[in-house]
Amino acid sequence: PAIPERRRAEQRQVEAIAKALRDGGRAMLLLGDKALRAEGLALARRIADATGASMLAETSNARMSRGAG
Protein backbone atom coordinates (compact mmCIF):
# COMPACT_ATOMS: atom_id res chain seq x y z
CA PRO A 1 0.00 0.00 0.00
CA ALA A 2 1.05 3.56 -0.65
CA ILE A 3 2.37 5.63 2.23
CA PRO A 4 -0.16 8.36 3.01
CA GLU A 5 0.95 11.95 2.62
CA ARG A 6 1.61 13.78 5.89
CA ARG A 7 -0.99 16.21 7.05
CA ARG A 8 0.04 19.84 7.22
CA ALA A 9 -0.58 21.71 10.45
CA GLU A 10 -3.58 24.00 10.38
CA GLN A 11 -2.88 27.73 10.52
CA ARG A 12 -4.61 28.08 13.90
CA GLN A 13 -2.32 25.37 15.33
CA VAL A 14 0.78 27.14 14.02
CA GLU A 15 -0.43 30.46 15.47
CA ALA A 16 -1.13 28.87 18.88
CA ILE A 17 2.34 27.30 18.99
CA ALA A 18 4.01 30.56 17.92
CA LYS A 19 2.13 32.44 20.66
CA ALA A 20 3.16 29.89 23.28
CA LEU A 21 6.82 30.14 22.20
CA ARG A 22 6.71 33.96 22.27
CA ASP A 23 5.13 34.08 25.74
CA GLY A 24 8.55 33.42 27.27
CA GLY A 25 7.85 30.27 29.26
CA ARG A 26 10.15 27.28 29.15
CA ALA A 27 9.80 25.43 25.85
CA MET A 28 11.49 22.61 24.01
CA LEU A 29 11.38 21.65 20.35
CA LEU A 30 11.30 17.84 20.03
CA LEU A 31 12.76 17.03 16.63
CA GLY A 32 12.46 13.85 14.60
CA ASP A 33 12.31 12.50 11.06
CA LYS A 34 12.84 15.22 8.40
CA ALA A 35 13.34 17.91 11.05
CA LEU A 36 16.75 16.30 11.67
CA ARG A 37 17.99 17.00 8.17
CA ALA A 38 19.94 20.15 7.38
CA GLU A 39 16.98 22.37 6.42
CA GLY A 40 14.83 21.27 9.36
CA LEU A 41 17.67 21.73 11.83
CA ALA A 42 18.40 25.21 10.47
CA LEU A 43 14.74 26.23 10.84
CA ALA A 44 14.53 24.75 14.35
CA ARG A 45 17.70 26.64 15.34
CA ARG A 46 16.19 29.92 14.11
CA ILE A 47 13.04 29.27 16.17
CA ALA A 48 15.09 28.27 19.23
CA ASP A 49 17.32 31.34 18.94
CA ALA A 50 14.34 33.68 18.57
CA THR A 51 12.32 32.19 21.44
CA GLY A 52 14.83 30.75 23.89
CA ALA A 53 13.44 27.25 23.38
CA SER A 54 15.79 24.31 23.76
CA MET A 55 16.12 21.58 21.13
CA LEU A 56 16.06 17.82 21.63
CA ALA A 57 16.16 14.98 19.09
CA GLU A 58 14.15 11.80 19.43
CA THR A 59 16.26 8.87 20.63
CA SER A 60 16.07 6.58 17.59
CA ASN A 61 16.57 8.27 14.23
CA ALA A 62 17.18 6.74 10.84
CA ARG A 63 19.16 9.76 9.72
CA MET A 64 20.48 13.01 11.19
CA SER A 65 22.57 15.78 9.62
CA ARG A 66 25.59 16.55 11.80
CA GLY A 67 27.92 18.61 9.65
CA ALA A 68 31.67 18.12 9.34
CA GLY A 69 33.21 15.95 11.84
Side-chain angles (χ1 to χ4, degrees), residues 30-55:
L30 178 61
L31 308 174
D33 197 29
K34 291 184 180 181
L36 294 173
R37 298 192 183 155
E39 183 180 5
L41 287 170
L43 291 171
R45 172 52 50 206
R46 286 180 60 197
I47 292 168
D49 287 346
T51 64
S54 58
M55 294 171 39

